[in-house]
Amino acid sequence: MAPIARRNAPRKPLFFKHLRAPARPDRAGTEGNGVQLPAGAGAYRSGGAAAAAADPHREDDMRSRAMALLALAALPAAPSALPGQEPESTVSVIPGAEYRAGRVRSALLGRSYRHLWTTPLRVPVLDLRSHAGGLAVVRGGGDRQTRSLRMRGADGREYVFRSVHKDFPFLPPDLRRSYAGRVVLDQHKAEFPAGVLAMPPLLEAVGVLHPVPVLYVMPDDPALGEHRAEFAGMLGTLEERPEEGADGAPGFAGGRRVVGTERLLEMLEEGTARVAVDEYLAARLVDLVVGDWDRHGDQWRWVLDETGAAPRWRPVPRDRDKVFSRYDGLLLGPVRARYPRATRFGPRWKDLYGLAYGARDLDRRLLAGVDRDGWDAAVARVQGALTDSVLDAAVARIPPELREQAGPSLGAALRARRDGLREPAEWLYRFHAAAPEVHATDGADAAEVVHGPDGSLAVRVFTAGAERTAPSFQRTFVPGETREVRVYLHGGADSVRATGEERGQIHVRLVGGNGDDHFSTGTRSVRVYDHEGLNTVEGERPTPVDAR
């Protein structure tokens, strides 16, 4: 029985006593992170989760409860080194032994995938000397959570090793040791361990380029150099990084050019790029099926396909750590409204706004030209491509120890979400159709905006020097779906002509760039915004320029 607190002593929230520190090594040489070591091999080296085991009395109750709102991310420790472990062997790994919990802790902070994180897996040790003809470390890296190691193979391709465990390096030490810090660190159990392994069959079926991740444990090898202490013994996935080949040779998926999203957006503004929007939309629909909410711009690479009549940039989704995420527990109820990305994967659709939020900016930029017919056709294609056999193949790539426990429920959830895809896809369509964004380029573009008598709005954009019969953008928006359209002209001396019904049902916002733009307006439903260049407005009902 726990000691009784003195009458005037500060009281701690009851549930925090269930937030135990990660397990310490036993006498047989098993590390608390779950990696089985030979007896007497090496000392335990604590990671981020182990640091959370400090004295809880250092934080007062009010701060703890306030910081509990941060409980939507993860920072368990990664498995540590395997001293003396030879390549071309396997080791037993418990992905996250620290997520073992009793009934109270599970009820308050969620059960999620605790049972999978605490399941021993048999995982091969990566052979740095034979894989891809031999792997040489290029540099360490990673985002705010994942630690990664980029390597180049003797086959001329680049590979990346990404930790299954996550880190939160920006959490200050005092927060790591607090009750709230333990809540934060515990949330990684909401992610399906190595769920990324299930993605290749799904993306292959819908025609989207993708890397093929494989689960490994990094060896304790001198070839890791300065990264040896950090990465030796780490559980992670290895996959080819989408990059260009050396010296002009074909790179990932045979492409000679591979860029990130930031560069792609620059080329779109320059008017020098064309995106395979059909593939991007297919990938986004698959994101809905697998419940992947973390699809911001840096989670994509783009490969130039030069095989068709016109070159186009094909999307390559990557960093799929959040697939099948299931954030549950009583504490997350009041937080979910403020943090919608705390999604709950399952056979029933929930938290659609959270699934759409992360990719909203890129979606608006790339999907504005997809109308109702094109969208519905894409949904039908994805549903038809994700057959039962494809879903079974995806589940089959999960490690057998996890598949034995979660395979049937995961397969059933994927089938239910595929069959019910039209409902969330309709929601996503309306989410973006309400106020779409149309973008011109930095050249001298021309745009036409026509309000029809039926309330529709036709928008066409022609790039500099293009024939008026070949618009770079063309779509008719309809009332009931769209309340306003925003047309961004970017740089160059652009011209816009707005005609049609005097009081259109769909409002238009014309946003000029840094060139000398000309606007011809004949309707009250158009607003002009431009604060750069020498701009002119004319027409039957010239609209004043808002220079804010």
Side-chain angles (χ1 to χ4, degrees), residues 274-279 303-306 310-314:
R274 175 172 167 263
V275 174
V277 174
D278 56 336
E279 295 183 15
V303 176
L304 182 61
D305 179 8
E306 302 176 278
R312 60 178 190 158
W313 291 90
R314 302 182 64 186

Side-chain angles (χ1 to χ4, degrees), residues 20-104:
R20 299 188 299 256
R24 286 305 213 185
D26 59 25
R27 295 179 182 272
T30 302
E31 291 203 357
N33 51 34
V35 178
Q36 306 295 321
L37 299 181
Y44 175 83
R45 295 174 296 139
S46 63
D55 183 6
H57 297 282
R58 298 180 62 183
E59 299 292 334
D60 59 58
D61 295 342
M62 293 301 295
R63 181 178 180 183
S64 296
R65 284 194 284 266
M67 293 307 295
L69 293 175
L70 293 172
L72 297 160
L75 181 62
S80 298
L82 297 171
Q85 179 67 58
E86 293 296 328
E88 297 184 352
S89 60
T90 62
V91 291
S92 180
V93 180
I94 298 178
E98 59 267 43
Y99 299 125
R100 291 192 179 97
R103 287 181 295 178
V104 175

Side-chain angles (χ1 to χ4, degrees), residues 502-544:
E502 179 180 346
R503 296 183 180 274
Q505 296 185 37
I506 300 176
H507 293 276
V508 179
R509 300 183 188 273
L510 303 175
V511 183
N514 55 12
D516 299 334
D517 301 324
H518 177 77
F519 303 91
S520 176
T521 61
T523 171
R524 297 179 183 271
S525 300
V526 174
R527 296 290 182 269
V528 178
Y529 304 83
D530 202 336
H531 68 281
E532 296 183 89
L534 300 176
N535 306 301
T536 58
V537 180
E538 64 176 14
E540 297 179 5
R541 296 184 180 278
T543 302

Side-chain angles (χ1 to χ4, degrees), residues 133-158:
L135 293 171
V137 174
V138 176
R139 66 179 178 88
D143 55 20
R144 300 194 307 170
Q145 296 184 33
T146 303
R147 284 175 286 177
S148 66
L149 194 63
R150 289 171 59 172
M151 297 174 282
R152 182 167 294 279
D155 58 359
R157 300 187 181 278
E158 191 165 317

Side-chain angles (χ1 to χ4, degrees), residues 91-409:
V91 291
S92 180
V93 180
I94 298 178
E98 59 267 43
Y99 299 125
R100 291 192 179 97
R103 287 181 295 178
V104 175
R105 179 183 177 188
S106 295
L108 293 172
L109 299 183
R111 291 177 175 84
S112 301
Y113 297 114
R114 292 187 190 277
H115 62 300
L116 302 184
W117 283 103
T118 56
T119 296
L121 310 178
R122 201 72 192 173
V123 182
V125 178
L126 178 62
D127 189 341
L128 298 176
R129 290 166 178 77
S130 66
H131 191 95
L135 293 171
V137 174
V138 176
R139 66 179 178 88
D143 55 20
R144 300 194 307 170
Q145 296 184 33
T146 303
R147 284 175 286 177
S148 66
L149 194 63
R150 289 171 59 172
M151 297 174 282
R152 182 167 294 279
D155 58 359
R157 300 187 181 278
E158 191 165 317
Y159 296 83
V160 59
F161 180 87
R162 305 183 73 251
S163 63
V164 169
H165 271 280
K166 307 305 171 185
D167 202 350
F168 241 174
F170 53 84
L171 272 182
D174 59 341
L175 179 57
R176 291 176 184 263
R177 294 189 292 265
S178 70
Y179 299 121
R182 297 187 187 186
V183 174
V184 171
L185 307 183
D186 188 74
Q187 290 309 305
H188 183 48
K189 55 87 177 71
E191 300 173 14
F192 194 107
V196 63
L197 300 174
M199 293 307 300
L202 306 178
L203 295 172
E204 185 74 24
V206 300
V208 174
L209 298 178
H210 58 88
V212 179
V214 180
L215 194 64
Y216 284 110
V217 168
M218 186 67 74
D220 184 9
D221 194 313
L224 294 174
E226 62 180 306
H227 306 286
R228 183 178 182 181
E230 179 180 6
F231 284 90
M234 181 180 290
L235 176 67
T237 58
L238 182 74
E239 62 186 45
E240 182 183 352
R241 177 178 166 83
E243 288 288 354
E244 300 173 357
D247 301 324
F252 183 85
R256 296 183 182 276
R257 293 192 62 192
V258 181
V259 300
T261 298
E262 183 176 355
R263 177 57 186 145
L264 177 76
L265 296 178
E266 292 175 353
M267 291 188 294
L268 288 176
E269 290 191 14
E270 295 166 0
T272 60
R274 175 172 167 263
V275 174
V277 174
D278 56 336
E279 295 183 15
Y280 177 76
L281 178 54
R284 291 291 293 123
L285 294 174
V286 171
D287 293 339
L288 292 180
V289 173
V290 300
D292 190 349
W293 53 264
D294 191 22
R295 304 311 307 150
H296 57 81
D298 194 46
Q299 306 287 54
W300 303 81
R301 301 282 285 173
W302 305 85
V303 176
L304 182 61
D305 179 8
E306 302 176 278
T307 59
R312 60 178 190 158
W313 291 90
R314 302 182 64 186
V316 184
R318 61 175 184 165
D319 299 0
R320 312 304 298 254
D321 302 313
K322 308 302 182 184
V323 298
F324 315 136
S325 291
R326 187 167 68 221
Y327 295 87
D328 56 8
L330 297 177
L331 278 182
L332 289 187
V335 177
R336 205 178 306 278
R338 295 178 176 271
Y339 197 91
R341 287 174 285 187
T343 56
R344 294 162 289 181
F345 176 82
R348 298 177 58 186
W349 290 98
K350 299 178 181 180
D351 314 312
L352 292 179
Y353 181 71
L355 291 177
Y357 185 83
R360 66 195 185 283
D361 292 334
L362 193 57
D363 284 354
R364 288 171 180 162
R365 184 65 175 87
L366 300 181
L367 298 178
V370 183
D371 60 14
R372 162 73 65 183
D373 291 341
W375 193 280
D376 289 345
V379 174
R381 284 195 299 269
V382 169
Q383 284 184 303
L386 297 181
T387 62
D388 287 352
S389 61
V390 169
L391 301 183
D392 291 342
V395 175
R397 295 197 83 245
I398 300 297
E401 299 91 342
L402 305 183
R403 191 168 64 246
E404 180 180 355
Q405 299 185 62
S409 60

